[in-house]
Amino acid sequence: MLKVGLIGSGNIARKRHAPGWQKLAGQAIVTAVSDVVEAAATEAAGLFATDGAAPTIYTDYHQLIREAEIDAVDICLPHHLHADAILAATAAGKHILCEKPMCIAIEEADRIVEAVDRAGIVYMSGHNELFYPAVAGAKELLDRGALGTPFILRSHEFPTGYPASAVPGRPAEGTMMVGWRANRATMGGGVLIDKGYHPTYILLHLAGAEPVEVTAMGGTYVAQMDGEDTALVMVKFANGAIGQIFTGEGFAFPANDAKFHAIGERGEVYGNRYDLYEKPRGFAEPSRRSYPVEPVGNQQTFDATIHHFYDSIATGRRPIQDHRDGRRVLQVILAAYRSIEEGKTITL
Ligand SMILES: NC(=O)c1ccc[n+]([C@@H]2O[C@H](COP(=O)([O-])OP(=O)(O)OC[C@H]3O[C@@H](n4cnc5c(N)ncnc54)[C@H](O)[C@@H]3O)[C@@H](O)[C@H]2O)c1
């Protein structure tokens, strides 16, 4: 039985991670939870309470890591605390599943890579959208080589859940970019390192090549936050392929129709979350594969992430995305920030 400590008991921990762990009952158990806000930790602990047994509550995650009887931690903290929690858990020999981003500075990422390698623990980057069936299907097609090496790629993510706005072209008030997300010091940037993190790891995953150059533009147009609320990023890969990432709060309507697109020498593949289109070169129409739509938002991607983390520990197999993948995604995002600031292409 894998014993798990939940670090950070906010929105994503309670709404998405908790149901994922609950589905692993019998194989894994959350024995400790923590949040600096005790009420949040208590609420999270209530989700795991079984007859007579509930997880121990900690308001200090360092104490949880030191004292709780756990094999692994699941980190769901604001971004600026990720590196501290990861390094503490690594030093204590705990396996780690961490929400995106791995951390917010490349020096932190380097320390994490070195520490995780030395400790020999399993580190999994919580890149949950790779488990959307259409994204996983596209990767499988590309890996099989049926379409050749992709040379043009695109990936994007925009808001999905805003209520209708009173002002056309402006998001309604429901933007999530409030609290620690609106503060550059705790967010590590703006929308690109949060919502835009997903299309970034999807693009790199589908490209299957090393990113070598980044050129970006961005700005703050509609949300009240320190960082950018909209970003457009171009990536050049070592094999000559080029890719584009587009993200932001600036789109006031659900614009996630074609979430990703990859074009190779022998054809192309594109889709969103549950629909995958494949069009070999020379064909007039694509074939379409539709997967069952998850009734609870994107819950299945979190269930799959947590299950995959468990399997990686149980089997010793490398997780789909580890600490090096976390570093690579961050490196592209930080290069994009430098490119926006300096108005030039950044070589990685
Ligand atoms: N994969 C996804 O689709 C997805 C979606 C949303 C959030 N996330 C990620 O999950 C993480 C958390 O985001 P959220 O939306 O749940 O934020 P949140 O603000 O709802 O939750 C963060 C929690 O951390 C707690 N916290 C703050 N400082 C702390 C400290 N020093 N010690 C212990 N707890 C502390 C807060 O009290 C809060 O309960 C972020 O990394 C975010 O990017 C991922």
Side-chain angles (χ1 to χ4, degrees):
M1 182 75 94
L2 183 78
K3 296 197 180 87
V4 181
L6 188 63
I7 298 184
S9 304
N11 174 57
I12 210 69
R14 293 200 305 250
K15 284 208 193 120
R16 292 286 180 259
H17 286 238
W21 287 114
Q22 284 159 349
K23 289 184 186 102
L24 278 185
Q27 292 160 291
I29 181 167
V30 173
T31 56
V33 300
S34 98
D35 200 287
V36 72
V37 177
E38 196 169 345
T42 306
E43 198 180 321
L47 300 171
F48 300 107
T50 50
D51 290 343
T56 311
I57 292 167
Y58 297 85
T59 48
D60 173 2
Y61 62 77
H62 282 279
Q63 195 186 355
L64 177 150
I65 291 166
R66 267 196 322 269
E67 296 178 5
E69 206 193 304
I70 50 168
D71 311 299
V73 294
D74 177 5
I75 301 173
C76 299
L77 291 167
H79 299 172
H80 66 304
L81 298 169
H82 286 190
D84 179 68
I86 291 168
L87 289 169
T90 306
K94 313 296 181 195
H95 302 298
I96 301 169
L97 170 64
C98 184
E99 262 299 346
K100 44 67 122 164
M102 185 164 83
C103 52
I104 59 175
I106 212 71
E107 298 75 21
E108 292 177 343
D110 287 339
R111 279 208 297 280
I112 289 169
V113 168
E114 196 267 326
V116 167
D117 282 350
R118 192 154 29 89
I121 53 147
V122 171
Y123 179 95
M124 180 170 166
S125 289
H127 296 170
N128 60 298
E129 293 195 2
L130 297 183
F131 293 98
Y132 274 127
V135 176
K139 177 66 177 166
E140 202 187 296
L141 268 176
L142 291 170
D143 281 354
R144 247 192 279 136
L147 305 175
T149 306
F151 56 85
I152 304 173
L153 300 110
R154 182 173 62 78
S155 175
H156 68 221
E157 180 143 331
F158 302 117
T160 47
Y162 293 165
S165 169
V167 184
R170 299 261 149 171
E173 314 227 308
T175 174
M176 278 179 71
M177 300 299 145
V178 294
W180 61 264
R181 283 187 165 85
N183 181 338
R184 198 188 283 276
T186 45
M187 176 78 131
V191 164
L192 180 60
I193 200 167
D194 194 46
K195 199 185 300 278
Y197 201 87
H198 299 289
T200 306
Y201 63 67
I202 289 174
L203 192 94
L204 299 187
H205 190 59
L206 295 182
E210 280 299 314
V212 292
E213 269 179 26
V214 175
T215 313
M217 290 183 195
T220 312
Y221 304 99
V222 294
Q224 294 198 339
M225 58 192 297
D226 291 355
E228 78 294 339
D229 67 17
T230 303
L232 182 54
V233 182
M234 286 180 294
V235 182
K236 188 166 183 190
F237 292 91
N239 62 1
I242 57 170
Q244 184 206 59
I245 300 153
F246 202 2
T247 189
E249 300 289 282
F251 286 76
F253 52 89
N256 292 301
D257 44 344
K259 202 170 157 52
F260 61 83
H261 199 145
I263 306 177
E265 297 94 344
R266 290 195 291 283
E268 57 198 282
V269 59
Y270 55 95
N272 49 47
R273 296 168 167 83
Y274 304 106
D275 293 301
L276 180 65
Y277 299 84
E278 179 191 0
K279 190 158 98 61
R281 189 161 293 279
F283 279 54
E285 295 290 332
S287 67
R288 171 178 164 177
R289 221 184 297 169
S290 290
Y291 300 89
V293 175
E294 162 65 44
V296 189
N298 52 2
Q299 183 62 46
Q300 79 184 62
T301 68
F302 289 93
D303 294 349
T305 300
I306 286 167
H307 205 133
H308 187 92
F309 175 57
Y310 172 83
D311 277 348
S312 301
I313 296 169
T315 62
R317 272 199 297 272
R318 179 187 173 276
I320 182 169
Q321 299 262 284
D322 65 9
H323 47 311
R324 283 172 210 286
D325 298 295
R327 186 190 183 283
R328 191 179 294 111
V329 180
L330 182 73
Q331 190 187 22
V332 167
I333 285 173
L334 295 180
Y337 284 150
R338 244 186 82 201
S339 174
I340 292 170
E341 241 173 74
E342 298 177 13
K344 63 181 191 198
T345 296
I346 305 298
T347 301
L348 300 181

